[in-house]
DNA sequence: GTTCCTGCAAAAGCTTTGCAGAAGA
DNA sequence: TCTTCTGCAAAGCTTTTGCAGGAAC
């Protein structure tokens, strides 16, 4: 499912989604930075490069790209929506301490259950939460024996 | 993990969480209605019974109960937080047409991956989206061949 | 008598909408 | 030229916060 930038452009053209400069920049940002950014992050970073960019346009672009099936919306926490390029099915692990979201591979088919035999499944999401190795190490170094987040 | 109402009260007392009338009502509501309600739903329903209840208190109660480990916060969609009693690990399927959230059993351990060996996993969530059998039937009855949600 | 809870109102965030002007095809 | 995109400001939602009064223990 990982696509080249050119493939993505073709997909957008097929769906009559205009390849505006700003839209391509958002797409390029997601392709370059696999950090599951928030709208805020994307806006802040791109704004440095494109001072005229507005947050509305970032929203518009992400929605357009999500509708085209190129971008996946990630909602682990209720107060922050994150975005990622749509790639092979994978799980997301969010560190409760540093906030970074890590990908991990999963065999998504193993999760299926015959209880859902008569359901039409369109999207499968697997979200874990906890503490990442880096934060575990930092906590250990600081002699905290219990992590209060 | 399914607990009796009395067990839950004991758990709350142990954690120094006061058993106020309103808090118990919210807990009772969740125990009776396994519909993964939003704050709005809980407030609307309980408000009929307890006219003095405020939405702030519903929020407070849910947070207190979540901190005590009795309530699970479900965020499938970014614009609506839902709440459920904490029970055995299970997956959630949200119908994109009617909005109902269904539970399904999963073997959560099967999802684990050695990529996360050095991570401390505290919470595992499995969210599916799609169309439920009832909606599939309704769509069929209406001669829609494609579902545009 | 302390502590914690409650509820109102206001504030804070994030996201969407309306609209005029600009850019794309 | 016609459609679509952009950006500003304002509106809309949900959730949080501050604070005074009240209930619980």
């Amino acid at each position: 499912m990982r696509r080249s930038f050119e493939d993505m452009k073709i997909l957008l053209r097929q769906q009559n989604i205009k390849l505006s400069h700003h839209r391509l920049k958002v797409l390029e940002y997601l392709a370059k930075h696999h950090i599951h950014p928030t709208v805020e992050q994307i806006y802040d970073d791109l704004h440095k490069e494109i001072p005229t960019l507005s947050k509305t346009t970032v929203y518009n672009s992400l929605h357009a790209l999500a509708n085209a099936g190129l971008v996946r919306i990630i909602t682990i926490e209720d107060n922050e929506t994150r975005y990622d390029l749509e790639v092979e099915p994978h799980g997301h692990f969010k560190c409760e301490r540093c906030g970074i979201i890590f990908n991990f591979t999963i065999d998504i088919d193993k999760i299926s259950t015959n209880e859902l035999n008569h359901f039409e499944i369109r999207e499968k999401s697997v979200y874990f939460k906890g503490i990442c190795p880096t934060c575990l190490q930092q906590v250990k170094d600081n002699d905290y024996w219990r992590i209060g987040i």
Side-chain angles (χ1 to χ4, degrees), chain A residues 3-137:
Chain A
R3 304 181 178 94
S4 74
F5 205 64
E6 284 311 311
D7 285 347
M8 292 194 280
K9 280 195 194 172
I10 292 167
L11 257 171
L12 290 176
R13 254 189 278 265
Q14 280 173 351
Q15 300 191 51
N16 272 322
I17 291 168
K18 299 288 183 303
L19 305 173
S20 75
H21 180 60
H22 292 179
R23 235 168 236 181
L24 287 176
K25 276 291 176 186
V26 171
L27 190 60
E28 188 190 274
Y29 183 89
L30 289 175
K32 278 190 186 167
H33 306 86
H34 291 284
I35 54 171
H36 314 84
T38 60
V39 167
E40 197 67 29
Q41 277 177 286
I42 300 170
Y43 172 74
D44 284 351
D45 287 352
L46 287 183
H47 187 73
K48 291 171 193 159
E49 200 182 325
I50 316 162
T52 61
L53 181 72
S54 76
K55 209 177 275 188
T56 305
T57 299
V58 177
Y59 277 107
N60 283 341
S61 302
L62 288 170
H63 290 171
L65 295 170
N67 285 334
L70 290 181
V71 161
R72 164 171 285 238
I73 298 165
I74 304 170
T75 45
I76 303 185
E77 232 70 65
D78 54 327
N79 57 340
E80 53 166 32
T81 309
R82 288 161 173 268
Y83 300 85
D84 193 12
L85 280 192
E86 188 72 67
V87 290
E88 315 81 42
H90 62 273
H92 291 113
F93 177 98
K94 176 170 178 185
C95 178
E96 293 178 321
R97 192 165 175 270
C98 65
I100 292 176
I101 294 182
F102 302 84
N103 291 339
F104 60 91
T105 54
I106 42 166
D107 187 349
I108 205 104
D109 295 324
K110 273 196 187 156
I111 306 168
S112 291
T113 155
N114 54 17
E115 283 174 51
L116 297 179
N117 274 351
H118 299 291
F119 290 67
E120 182 185 317
I121 300 171
R122 293 182 167 190
E123 196 182 311
K124 296 180 178 182
S125 306
V126 175
Y127 298 140
F128 286 9
K129 282 203 259 185
I131 312 294
C132 74
T134 308
C135 284
L136 280 175
Q137 187 58 46

